[in-house]
Amino acid sequence: EVQLQASGGGLVEAGGSLRLSCAASGFNFDYAIGWFRQAPGQGREGVSCISSSDGSTYYRDSVEGRFTIFKDNTDNTVYLQMNDLKPEDTAVYFCAAGPLLFDVHQQCPVDNGMDYWGKGTLVTVSS
C-alpha cells in the first residue's frame, strides 16, 4: 500500500525559506512524485516533481530557480526546498505520486496523473 506523509509547512516572511518533506512508502514500480499546491479560490497546480526512474525533475515556471526538489533514496523521502518565498506561493501544498506514465514534464503540471495523495500542509508567506 502506497503511503505519503507530508510535513514542513508554516508561516514565513517574504524572502524566507521552508523545506517540505514527504515520506513515501509502498512503491514497487517506477513512479513520479512531487508537490502540488492549491491557493484559496484556485485550482490545484503542479509545483515540482521528480522521477524515481532517472531522477529527472519538473518545475513550474513561477518557482524555477527558487525551489529545489530532491529525493533521499535511502528512505524514499522527497524534499522540496523553497527559497525566496513570495506571497503568491501561499497555498496548501500536497505531496502526490503516481506510476510513471510519461516523463515528469508531461505528467506533473496537472494533478490527473497522480493516484496517491498525502494530507496537505499549509504554507503562508507574509509580505
Side-chain angles (χ1 to χ4, degrees):
E1 179 187 2
V2 173
Q3 293 188 338
L4 303 172
Q5 291 190 318
S7 61
L11 172 64
V12 65
E13 292 184 349
S17 298
L18 282 174
R19 178 177 290 187
L20 305 182
S21 302
C22 179
S25 62
F27 294 99
N28 58 7
F29 48 84
D30 288 335
Y31 57 94
I33 186 168
W35 296 90
F36 292 72
R37 68 186 181 188
Q38 187 166 20
Q42 298 187 22
R44 197 157 53 184
E45 61 185 19
V47 177
S48 182
C49 287
I50 188 166
S51 164
S52 72
S53 174
D54 61 5
S56 56
T57 57
Y58 159 80
Y59 298 95
R60 72 180 300 106
D61 289 347
S62 61
V63 308
E64 183 84 56
R66 300 188 295 122
F67 291 11
T68 303
I69 191 168
F70 57 99
K71 184 171 175 288
D72 185 341
N73 290 323
T74 62
D75 62 2
N76 277 345
T77 299
V78 177
Y79 299 92
L80 184 68
Q81 177 66 40
M82 305 185 293
N83 297 330
D84 190 23
L85 282 159
K86 304 177 185 298
E88 53 264 39
D89 295 317
T90 294
V92 177
Y93 284 68
F94 299 89
C95 179
L100 187 63
L101 302 175
F102 319 108
D103 66 69
V104 290
H105 292 84
Q106 293 175 290
Q107 187 168 353
C108 294
V110 294
D111 63 2
N112 60 4
M114 299 301 185
D115 294 336
Y116 308 100
W117 293 83
K119 288 184 179 179
T121 184
L122 178 62
V123 172
T124 304
V125 184
S126 63
S127 57

